[in-house]
Amino acid sequence: MGRTETLKSRLDAKGAKWMTWRDREVVADFGDPAREYEAVRGGGLGLVDRSGRDTLVLAGEDAVSWLQGLVTSDLRELVREGSGQLTSAVNLVGRLIAEARVLHMPEMLVLDLEPGVLADGFLSHLKRHLITEDVQILDRSAQTSRLGIFGERAAAFLQKHCTLAHPMGSRAMFEGTWGSLGDHDIVVQRVPTTGGPGYEIACATEEVADIWDLLMATAELTPVGFETLETLRIEAGIPRFGVELTEERIPLEANLDHAISFTKGCYLGQEIIARLDTRGTPARLLRTLVFEGGAAPEVGAEVEVEGAKNAVGEVVSSVWSPRLNTSIALAYIKRKYNEIGDEVRVETRKAIVQPLGYPLDSTRDSV
């Protein structure tokens, strides 16, 4: 894990309350989740410790062509240094092994993954498929720390306080750049985590506490914890590996079409993905469920429909949505029952099926 004791003391000084997620220690909140939420959605800026994430570096003459055969996206689109994309890796039957943000850096590809993905099998999966290719696979998780900045003014903030190779406002989703903050080298990548402007700063682990201090010294940022970030993410309908994205899921079910190329040619699991795409709608889809008040449903709760003998879906994440002032959930729901506007029941309560990101899209003009 790329978090130092010095950074941990900085977080503690801000009132950090700790929890464990995927065997990593994360800050649950800083004592006032409502304030943290407002910092991101209300025109301010939130600063999040993201140091638990995995970082993988691929270098060598064959790195791109080799990885091209193991992921669903088309890496040939990453022509320019600073270009980036979302990708996924699947097994022979099309089930997810990993999801990663890829960034083309000078002479290397950098993959940013959820905590523990490398140790849980993705690193060994990659190494099994390396034969004679000129590829160096480097797990840099312990040497890399990450901090996230989220909010409407995030790009302007970074442009003001950092020296960067590319203007932040010109970066498309998953694109990045590199430069410095003070005397510290940084890499910045645009990410969709909250459904609004967001960027993650990667730096050397031993420098992260100093970078935290420099960022907080601007007096423009509010520390934000894991639980608020999850609320923001679920409102935005951004699936997360280890939560909505698991080894039993197929990327198409989770609306990861933007992480799949249907024209790139062969890759591991491609035949199953192509067959599902040709057939049309997958057997189930990830949807947002909107309830009429009440507490958020339990993860694992069954989604039911009147007249159906068995459950037609399952809740995989849920929160109270400040944006809608009601509880919402993300759920996988079977075909025939997942049309937008359909009525379902969870824990005896009515819910309406909506697209991913509905809490933001339905209120964007009124906020």
Side-chain angles (χ1 to χ4, degrees):
M1 169 181 282
R3 181 191 299 119
T4 62
E5 286 300 315
T6 305
L7 177 59
K8 188 174 187 298
S9 69
R10 300 290 198 276
L11 301 173
D12 285 335
K14 292 295 181 180
K17 299 179 181 179
W18 297 90
M19 62 177 284
T20 300
W21 191 75
R22 289 182 67 86
D23 296 324
R24 306 290 174 95
E25 198 175 28
V26 298
V27 178
D29 64 69
F30 289 91
D32 191 349
R35 178 172 177 265
E36 297 170 30
Y37 179 92
E38 189 61 21
V40 178
R41 289 277 191 253
L45 290 171
L47 177 62
V48 185
D49 171 33
R50 304 283 276 162
S51 298
R53 294 182 65 83
D54 286 355
T55 299
L56 187 70
V57 172
L58 301 177
E61 288 293 326
D62 300 327
V64 173
S65 59
W66 170 77
L67 188 61
Q68 176 82 338
L70 296 173
V71 297
T72 57
S73 63
D74 191 350
L75 299 176
R76 294 172 300 184
E77 296 176 357
L78 303 181
V79 177
R80 295 175 291 102
E81 293 178 349
S83 57
Q85 62 184 210
L86 185 70
T87 194
S88 63
V90 298
N91 60 22
L92 286 171
V93 292
R95 307 292 176 177
L96 281 162
I97 298 173
E99 175 227 34
R101 304 165 183 163
V102 185
L103 182 62
H104 179 189
M105 292 289 292
E107 300 182 356
M108 69 182 75
L109 294 177
V110 179
L111 276 65
D112 170 28
L113 308 103
E114 288 290 343
V117 172
L118 293 177
D120 287 349
F122 186 47
L123 185 58
S124 60
H125 169 78
L126 293 175
K127 289 181 176 180
R128 280 197 305 273
H129 288 87
L130 183 60
I131 306 173
T132 61
E133 297 88 352
D134 178 14
V135 181
Q136 292 83 54
I137 303 175
L138 306 171
D139 180 358
R140 299 291 295 173
S141 305
Q143 294 78 27
T144 306
S145 285
R146 295 179 183 273
L147 299 171
I149 297 179
F150 302 99
E152 288 298 325
R153 297 185 292 107
F157 174 89
L158 288 166
Q159 197 65 50
K160 175 182 176 182
H161 295 287
C162 304
T163 301
L164 300 168
H166 304 90
M168 292 313 307
S170 69
R171 299 291 84 187
M173 191 59 69
F174 301 112
E175 289 188 338
T177 188
W178 51 92
S180 60
L181 176 60
D183 296 328
H184 307 287
D185 292 336
I186 60 173
V187 174
V188 184
Q189 186 173 23
R190 185 177 174 185
V191 295
T193 309
T194 68
Y199 300 84
E200 289 195 359
I201 299 171
C203 64
T205 296
E206 63 269 20
E207 298 181 6
V208 67
D210 291 338
I211 291 176
W212 173 276
D213 289 343
L214 288 171
L215 292 171
M216 290 303 298
T218 66
E220 298 180 53
L221 298 167
T222 298
V224 171
F226 176 90
E227 292 186 344
T228 294
L229 194 64
E230 280 293 273
T231 296
L232 296 162
R233 180 188 69 80
I234 292 169
E235 283 186 333
I238 306 296
R240 183 174 192 171
F241 196 85
V243 183
E244 297 85 12
L245 305 178
T246 62
E247 291 81 358
E248 63 186 18
R249 303 299 179 187
I250 295 170
L252 289 170
E253 297 176 339
N255 197 38
L256 290 184
D257 302 55
H258 54 296
I260 302 170
S261 170
F262 296 101
T263 59
K264 65 177 276 187
C266 294
Y267 60 88
L268 188 67
Q270 181 262 348
E271 182 178 350
I272 300 298
I273 301 295
R275 187 184 307 160
L276 286 171
D277 179 59
T278 301
R279 289 179 178 176
T281 307
R284 59 187 59 79
L285 288 173
L286 187 63
R287 295 295 200 196
T288 297
L289 295 181
V290 180
F291 295 82
E292 294 180 344
E298 292 291 327
V299 171
E302 293 183 339
V303 178
E304 300 175 313
V305 172
E306 186 175 352
K309 293 182 179 180
N310 300 310
V312 300
E314 178 186 6
V315 171
V316 288
S317 55
S318 63
V319 293
W320 176 268
S321 168
R323 186 79 168 214
L324 294 182
N325 194 35
T326 193
S327 54
I328 62 172
L330 300 184
Y332 282 101
I333 307 176
K334 291 180 180 179
R335 190 170 45 227
K336 284 178 39 178
Y337 307 104
N338 60 31
E339 294 297 319
I340 304 306
D342 281 354
E343 181 180 318
V344 298
R345 303 196 77 82
V346 179
E347 297 174 343
T348 73
R349 290 190 292 149
K350 184 178 80 170
I352 302 300
V353 176
Q354 299 290 1
L356 296 177
Y358 172 81
L360 300 188
D361 294 339
S362 64
T363 58
R364 206 174 294 277
D365 293 338
S366 60
V367 175

